[in-house]
């Protein structure tokens, strides 16, 4: 009899634990991605003089992936994040020429999360198509606050363009389909718009997903005046000063974001991710060419010490398929759930972001597409995670308009597994030679052959899916046409900034600065 009582009590305890777990609130998700920052420009990554105390603190409080790989450039990385499928299998093979448009048949991250009760907001750089059908409000996002093209003020042949003559200071953004005039510096405005939306939904009873994609520190390299002056006074070229000034300003914005989330009591049930969309920019970091080396002096600190460039011991910058072209920071903070200060050495990919967030959200992956990534949840939470090695494929794409992609198949490509990277047919041992100095192709012929065959299979699968190659350039630029139409019909209203505490980096009038 006593045994039956014990069994009954144990069963009730197990049932209670199951109910308790199932009734846990789904975590909120805040995904923050900077543009062209790359891996090196974070103090916690060994940078000798950049001042990023808030990112350094997040690094210490997070699980940080030491070898996290994105695409080589902006739109391709965004396509992979948004769908969990490689960009060239979504038609995205460039940043312009209509080849930045994300396949309309693809299911997006926000659409995956929606059946699990999530409301979603997108803020900043979209860069997956400027025509109406491709815009984030038609790809599953409930709130949108964006600029056009791949950067504020950009315009290219075809549909890819932002509002005419837009600038980083007092820019125009498109808020839920209506253009609004803002006051301040672009990065401040994007952080504030994100926090304002979070403020409006945080007590709704529904979990939220906020995707904040800053245009900084992408070109044009113009930071808020105080940050710009700081580096110019140290002898930096104006563009280089703008790049590093933008990074330090982003760090200050991160600090203010964490402060506000803590005041709202959101930290314990919110997953916060910080990353960048590709390797460090070529033009703004001060290095010549795209090899990422050798080091050069950029300025002189107040003690007379040379301030040297830094690429974290890697070869390659943005727009390459070397390690430095695709390696980025990836910090995941979830207070009380994810262990602080854990470093994951396993090579991970931007294709893993969607399945990981779906896993944490309890969302099912639909059968609409062949997802290529894996959930990283075991690497974050398990003591001894099971993880099978795999090949990760990269291709710079970016061939000229109307060129035949097959002519570039064996050009700027790369295959990565846990230990090795094959770059354009040359094999490097990334564990023993992370700077890619020594060609070890002859020592591992079977591996090279395996990697090439796997890459060829990948290319052959992707080739029919490059659906934008033959698309004619659009005759109209939607952001130009719609902006002018709104100007004539009702004008451009001032944006009503949210009522939150924020230290502005710029409060002046129009500057016209987009150098």
């Amino acid at each position: 009899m006593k045994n039956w009582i014990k069994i009954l009590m144990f069963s009730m305890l197990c049932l209670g634990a199951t109910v308790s777990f199932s009734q846990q609130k789904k975590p909120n998700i805040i995904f923050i991605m900077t543009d062209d920052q790359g891996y090196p420009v974070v103090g916690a990554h060994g940078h000798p003089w950049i001042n990023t105390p808030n990112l350094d603190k997040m690094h210490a409080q997070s699980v940080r992936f030491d070898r996290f790989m994105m695409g080589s450039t902006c739109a391709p990385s965004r396509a992979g994040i948004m769908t969990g499928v490689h960009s060239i299998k979504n038609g995205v093979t460039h940043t312009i020429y209509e080849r930045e448009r994300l396949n309309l048949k693809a299911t997006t991250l926000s659409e995956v999360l929606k059946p699990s009760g999530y409301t979603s907001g997108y803020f900043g750089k979209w860069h997956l198509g400027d025509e109406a059908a491709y815009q984030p409000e038609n790809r599953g996002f409930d709130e949108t606050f964006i600029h056009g093209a791949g950067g504020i003020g950009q315009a290219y042949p075809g549909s890819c363009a932002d509002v005419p003559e837009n600038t980083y200071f007092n820019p125009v953004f498109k808020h839920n389909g209506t253009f609004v005039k803002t006051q301040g510096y672009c990065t401040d405005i994007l952080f504030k718009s994100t926090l304002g939306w979070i403020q409006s939904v945080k007590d709704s009873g529904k979990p939220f997903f906020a995707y904040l994609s800053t245009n900084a520190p992408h070109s044009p390299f113009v930071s808020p005046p105080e940050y710009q002056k700081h580096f110019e006074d140290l002898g930096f070229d104006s563009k280089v000063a703008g790049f590093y000034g933008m990074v330090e300003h982003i760090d200050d914005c991160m600090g203010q974001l964490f402060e506000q989330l803590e005041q709202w009591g959101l930290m314990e049930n919110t997953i916060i991710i910080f990353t960048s969309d590709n390797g460090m920019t070529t033009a703004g970091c001060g290095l010549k060419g795209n090899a990422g080396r050798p080091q050069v002096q950029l300025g002189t600190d107040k003690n007379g010490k040379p301030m040297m460039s830094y690429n974290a011991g890697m070869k390659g910058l943005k727009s390459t398929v070397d390690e430095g072209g695709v390696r980025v920071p990836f910090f995941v903070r979830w207070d009380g759930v994810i262990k602080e200060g854990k470093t994951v050495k396993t090579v991970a990919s931007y294709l893993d972001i969607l399945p990981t967030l779906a896993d944490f959200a309890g969302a099912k992956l639909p059968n609409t597409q062949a997802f290529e990534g894996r959930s990283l949840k075991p690497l974050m939470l398990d003591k001894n995670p099971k993880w099978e090695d795999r090949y990760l494929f990269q291709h710079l794409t970016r061939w000229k308009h109307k060129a035949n992609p097959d002519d570039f198949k064996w050009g700027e490509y790369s295959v990565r597994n846990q230990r090795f990277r094959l770059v354009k047919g040359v094999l490097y041992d990334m564990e023993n030679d992370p700077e890619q100095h020594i060609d070890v192709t002859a020592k591992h012929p079977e591996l090279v052959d395996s990697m090439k065959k796997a890459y060829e299979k990948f290319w052959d699968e992707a080739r029919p899916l490059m659906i934008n190659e033959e698309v004619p350039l659009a005759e109209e630029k939607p952001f130009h046409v719609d902006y002018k139409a709104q100007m004539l019909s009702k004008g451009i209203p001032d944006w009503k900034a949210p009522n939150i505490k924020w230290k502005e980096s710029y409060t002046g009038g129009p500057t016209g600065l987009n150098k």
Side-chain angles (χ1 to χ4, degrees):
M1 184 66 179
K2 290 182 179 179
N3 289 337
W4 279 107
I5 292 173
K6 289 180 179 179
I7 293 170
L8 180 61
M9 291 177 66
F10 178 75
S11 299
M12 291 176 68
L13 284 170
C14 290
L15 179 61
T18 303
V19 171
S20 174
F21 181 79
S22 66
Q23 290 178 345
Q24 279 185 335
K25 292 172 63 178
K26 293 180 183 294
N28 303 310
I29 302 166
I30 302 175
F31 182 84
I32 304 163
M33 183 168 69
T34 62
D35 196 351
D36 287 4
Q37 180 174 348
Y39 180 89
V41 200
V42 177
H45 288 167
H47 199 286
W49 44 260
I50 200 72
N51 185 32
T52 55
N54 295 296
L55 286 176
D56 297 347
K57 183 178 180 181
M58 185 182 182
H59 176 274
Q61 294 172 326
S62 302
V63 165
R64 54 277 179 120
F65 284 76
D66 185 59
R67 295 282 167 175
F68 196 94
M69 308 299 166
M70 285 281 182
S72 298
T73 57
C74 310
S77 292
R78 291 160 207 280
I81 292 169
M82 197 59 65
T83 65
V85 178
H86 199 283
S87 58
I88 65 175
K89 293 185 177 182
N90 277 311
V92 179
T93 61
H94 210 306
T95 56
I96 53 176
Y97 299 137
E98 320 300 6
R99 285 160 50 194
E100 76 281 8
R101 304 188 311 179
L102 179 66
N103 184 356
L104 292 174
K105 294 181 180 179
T107 301
T108 66
L109 176 51
S110 55
E111 291 170 330
V112 169
L113 296 178
K114 193 174 287 290
S116 288
Y118 279 78
T119 182
S120 300
Y122 196 97
F123 308 87
K125 176 173 174 174
W126 173 245
H127 205 188
L128 291 173
D130 287 331
E131 294 165 304
Y134 297 91
Q135 291 281 275
E137 61 266 28
N138 295 316
R139 308 307 300 263
F141 287 93
D142 305 300
E143 176 85 3
T144 61
F145 191 93
I146 63 171
H147 63 77
I152 291 176
Q154 285 186 358
Y156 291 97
S159 64
C160 185
D162 186 32
V163 169
E165 300 180 359
N166 211 6
T167 72
Y168 281 20
F169 299 92
N170 305 335
V172 171
F173 285 98
K174 191 169 79 165
H175 184 201
N176 293 333
T178 299
F179 293 102
V180 294
K181 180 69 172 178
T182 67
Q183 295 294 316
Y185 183 72
C186 55
T187 307
D188 289 312
I189 293 161
L190 290 176
F191 271 84
K192 287 194 299 181
S193 64
T194 305
L195 285 169
W197 178 72
I198 291 173
Q199 185 180 40
S200 73
V201 300
K202 66 182 178 66
D203 298 320
S204 67
K206 297 177 65 176
F208 63 79
F209 168 50
Y211 193 135
L212 168 55
S213 177
T214 69
N215 57 290
H218 191 285
S219 63
F221 303 109
V222 182
S223 60
E226 176 185 347
Y227 298 80
Q228 186 83 24
K229 184 176 184 300
H230 167 71
F231 284 103
E232 288 185 357
D233 287 350
L234 296 173
F236 282 59
D237 171 83
S238 63
K239 287 186 177 181
V240 180
F243 172 73
Y244 291 108
M246 283 192 280
V247 172
E248 293 200 353
H249 176 245
I250 288 168
D251 184 81
D252 285 345
C253 290
M254 289 293 294
Q256 293 187 76
L257 176 129
F258 280 120
E259 183 179 347
Q260 188 64 72
L261 295 176
E262 288 169 358
Q263 288 179 8
W264 288 336
L266 292 176
M267 292 303 296
E268 290 188 359
N269 197 46
T270 301
I271 299 170
I272 304 168
I273 297 174
F274 176 83
T275 189
S276 184
D277 65 343
N278 44 243
M280 185 168 63
T281 183
T282 304
C285 72
L287 288 164
K288 306 299 181 183
N290 59 11
R293 58 192 186 209
Q295 284 187 304
V296 297
Q297 183 174 348
L298 304 177
T300 305
D301 69 16
K302 295 179 180 179
N303 298 316
K305 182 179 178 181
M307 300 174 73
M308 305 299 292
S309 61
Y310 177 76
N311 199 30
M314 297 183 293
K315 179 183 179 181
L317 298 169
K318 175 186 176 180
S319 299
T320 73
V321 293
D322 292 299
E323 194 85 348
V326 297
R327 185 185 179 196
V328 298
F330 198 81
F331 308 156
V332 185
R333 179 179 173 183
W334 187 3
D335 290 5
V337 178
I338 290 177
K339 183 180 179 181
E340 292 186 0
K342 179 180 178 180
T343 298
V344 175
K345 296 288 187 179
T346 304
V347 174
S349 164
Y350 65 123
L351 303 177
D352 301 327
I353 292 171
L354 185 151
T356 300
L357 296 184
D359 195 1
F360 276 120
K364 294 182 179 179
L365 296 182
N367 58 8
T368 53
Q369 57 222 44
F371 294 97
E372 296 178 295
R374 302 175 183 174
S375 174
L376 301 174
K377 185 177 176 181
L379 296 178
M380 298 187 209
L381 301 183
D382 297 354
K383 288 185 178 180
N384 298 298
K386 294 181 180 179
W387 190 267
E388 186 177 348
D389 200 8
R390 57 180 170 168
Y391 290 151
L392 297 174
F393 305 104
Q394 301 281 354
H395 197 293
L396 178 60
T397 62
R398 297 183 71 86
W399 42 79
K400 291 183 178 181
H401 182 48
K402 295 186 177 181
N404 181 0
D406 292 321
D407 293 340
F408 300 87
K409 176 179 177 178
W410 296 105
E412 297 289 332
Y413 81 95
S414 176
V415 184
R416 181 73 151 91
N417 70 357
Q418 182 62 36
R419 179 178 170 184
F420 294 94
R421 179 178 288 279
L422 181 72
V423 181
K424 295 179 284 187
V426 178
L427 189 69
Y428 299 97
D429 184 340
M430 301 305 296
E431 291 184 356
N432 296 304
D433 177 33
E435 297 187 21
Q436 296 176 230
H437 287 297
I438 304 170
D439 179 358
V440 296
T441 307
K443 293 183 179 180
H444 303 277
E446 292 183 0
L447 175 62
V448 172
D449 184 59
S450 173
M451 284 182 158
K452 285 183 175 180
K453 286 179 178 178
Y455 168 71
E456 185 161 33
K457 180 176 182 293
F458 164 77
W459 178 274
D460 291 344
E461 291 172 352
R463 183 63 184 91
L465 303 175
M466 300 180 197
I467 57 175
N468 292 322
E469 299 304 308
E470 303 299 327
V471 173
L473 296 177
E475 295 182 1
E476 294 183 335
K477 303 182 187 306
F479 270 65
H480 285 198
V481 173
D482 296 345
Y483 178 75
K484 291 175 182 176
Q486 185 182 316
M487 280 278 290
L488 292 173
S489 63
K490 60 181 179 181
I492 309 299
D494 290 336
W495 177 55
K496 295 180 180 179
N499 184 24
I500 57 174
K501 181 182 177 183
W502 192 263
K503 179 185 176 183
E504 302 285 352
S505 67
Y506 175 77
T507 57
T511 67
L513 288 176
N514 253 17
K515 296 179 182 178

